[in-house]
Amino acid sequence: MGTYRISQLAERTGVPATTLRYYESTGLLRAERSPAGYRIYREPAVERLEFIATAKRLGLPLDEIGELLRVRDTGACVEVKTELQPRLRARLADAERRREEVAGFIAALRAALAHLDALPDRSGRCDPDCEFPFDTADRGRWRDAPVACALPADDIRARTEQWHSALTGATRTPIPDGLQLTVPIQRLAAVAELAAAEQACCPFLDFRLHLDGPHLHVQVRSPADGQAILAELFDAAAG
């Protein structure tokens, strides 16, 4: 069985000597001492470092890796598996949540860019038309827009189903001229894309999206003549 000085182990594994010393100080890695006082590592240290590197790539912190190594050193394979599974599931859930947040952010950026791309180039001073979509400023243009939808009947039914799917189980709160629907923040991407599409065909609907920690508040308003359409689209979605 081979033995390694610290520089040799660093070269063999690609782990810097400083990191090897740190792992030793935290109990993740063990070293023997030569008669001259040099650190000596045996072949199992290579496999141990591979385990640490893989666990780090999977998002496990060093304290959890240390716990796993203690089980690995003294327990059966099934015990290591039992310890690993819930930790990896938790990391997977966290990664998926972050992926959904990034997807929502991308959707919001695309909606903002689409809004800006549609604006004509003007030489005058900026006014409310230059604002981002879904902001908190009351532009009021929706109040004067004609209450009519440009979508064909079949597309209206499909759009309604999409809204009901995106807002299933939403908490409903009445607001002036409309309602607020609160859903998990993970639905931001779907709701933002639907809101952008809806305003393209139904400019009398006003959307405002508010990110509030784990919640997304979707405010939808319309003039009096559009309340029936608003109710058809959104009332049934509330749980």
Side-chain angles (χ1 to χ4, degrees):
M1 183 178 293
T3 60
Y4 304 90
R5 296 271 293 272
I6 190 168
S7 59
Q8 294 170 325
L9 184 63
E11 183 177 0
R12 166 77 187 273
T13 62
V15 180
T18 53
T19 302
L20 296 176
R21 294 189 187 95
Y22 176 72
Y23 285 170
E24 183 183 348
S25 70
T26 58
L28 294 177
L29 189 66
R30 291 185 292 272
E32 300 174 17
R33 295 284 177 169
S34 71
Y38 294 109
R39 289 178 173 85
I40 297 294
Y41 301 91
R42 300 194 180 276
E43 191 66 31
V46 175
E47 183 183 348
R48 194 176 187 86
L49 288 170
E50 290 174 351
F51 181 91
I52 294 171
T54 301
K56 286 177 63 179
R57 284 196 298 272
L58 293 173
L60 297 178
L62 288 180
D63 58 341
E64 291 190 22
I65 295 173
E67 294 171 7
L68 288 167
L69 284 171
R70 285 189 286 275
V71 174
R72 188 171 181 264
D73 289 341
T74 60
C77 180
V78 65
E79 295 178 83
V80 178
K81 173 184 174 181
T82 302
E83 287 287 329
L84 265 173
Q85 285 174 319
R87 299 174 194 270
L88 296 185
R89 288 194 181 101
R91 295 305 178 281
L92 177 60
D94 182 62
E96 289 177 341
R97 177 186 59 78
R98 286 187 278 112
R99 180 182 64 184
E100 290 169 351
E101 290 176 353
V102 171
F105 181 56
I106 290 171
L109 287 173
R110 285 176 175 166
L113 282 172
H115 174 77
L116 293 174
D117 290 342
L119 293 176
D121 294 331
R122 297 178 301 172
S123 58
R125 292 178 60 85
C126 194
D127 59 26
D129 283 337
C130 299
E131 295 166 352
F132 292 117
F134 319 131
D135 60 17
T136 56
D138 187 357
R139 297 188 295 256
R141 289 177 293 172
W142 56 276
R143 297 183 186 275
D144 300 321
V147 178
C149 183
L151 287 176
D154 289 344
D155 290 344
I156 290 175
R157 285 191 290 271
R159 178 68 56 76
T160 302
E161 291 174 0
Q162 289 175 320
W163 274 119
H164 289 180
S165 175
L167 298 174
T168 296
T171 301
R172 182 183 187 279
T173 306
I175 60 173
D177 300 311
L179 71 159
Q180 174 175 285
L181 296 156
T182 300
V183 295
I185 192 66
Q186 289 83 358
R187 302 189 195 177
L188 172 60
V191 171
E193 290 180 2
L194 280 171
E198 198 68 54
Q199 281 201 323
C201 63
C202 299
F204 62 91
L205 292 176
D206 178 66
F207 293 90
R208 303 181 186 192
L209 308 186
H210 174 58
L211 280 64
D212 180 18
H215 305 295
L216 170 65
H217 304 300
V218 185
Q219 293 186 354
V220 191
R221 299 185 295 167
S222 78
D225 292 347
Q227 289 295 313
I229 297 176
L230 185 150
E232 182 179 355
L233 275 175
F234 302 108
D235 279 1

